[in-house]
Amino acid sequence: MPALALDTMLTLPETLSDLTDHLCENPDPVEVRALIEPLLDEYTGLPVRLADTLCSLARAVQEHPDTSCPAQVDLLITELRTAASEQGHGWCP
């Protein structure tokens, strides 16, 4: 997988912000459904992807050889896994 650039990572929050602004303009409900439906898909939607990302982040932090401050890292990993669980992720290694 190619390395991700900061510009690429910034597109998601910007897109969500644009969507929020658009929804505040009272668009047609049919259009809204078409825009939102993919985000809420139970297998590939935003909550599932966010949970996967949080689990992957927890694993990356835990397995990185340069990780220091074990107590703080353990707390961060626990918080990431809890957040993933709250997003509906059933299991986070």
Side-chain angles (χ1 to χ4, degrees):
M1 169 178 227
L4 291 173
L6 180 59
D7 289 346
T8 303
M9 298 308 301
L10 292 175
T11 60
L12 178 58
E14 288 173 6
T15 301
L16 289 174
S17 179
D18 291 345
L19 176 59
T20 300
D21 292 345
H22 179 69
L23 293 174
C24 288
E25 296 172 359
N26 297 318
D28 177 64
V30 173
E31 177 193 1
V32 169
R33 182 174 177 185
L35 291 172
I36 296 295
E37 208 166 58
L39 296 177
L40 300 178
D41 183 270
E42 69 177 299
Y43 301 108
T44 61
L46 194 55
V48 173
R49 296 295 183 204
L50 179 57
D52 289 345
T53 301
L54 292 171
C55 282
S56 294
L57 177 57
R59 185 175 51 252
V61 168
Q62 184 176 26
E63 294 176 358
H64 196 279
D66 292 335
T67 299
S68 59
C69 303
Q72 291 175 330
V73 170
D74 288 344
L75 178 60
L76 173 63
I77 290 167
T78 299
E79 289 175 353
L80 289 169
R81 289 182 173 156
T82 299
S85 175
E86 289 172 357
Q87 292 298 317
H89 200 284
W91 181 75
C92 187

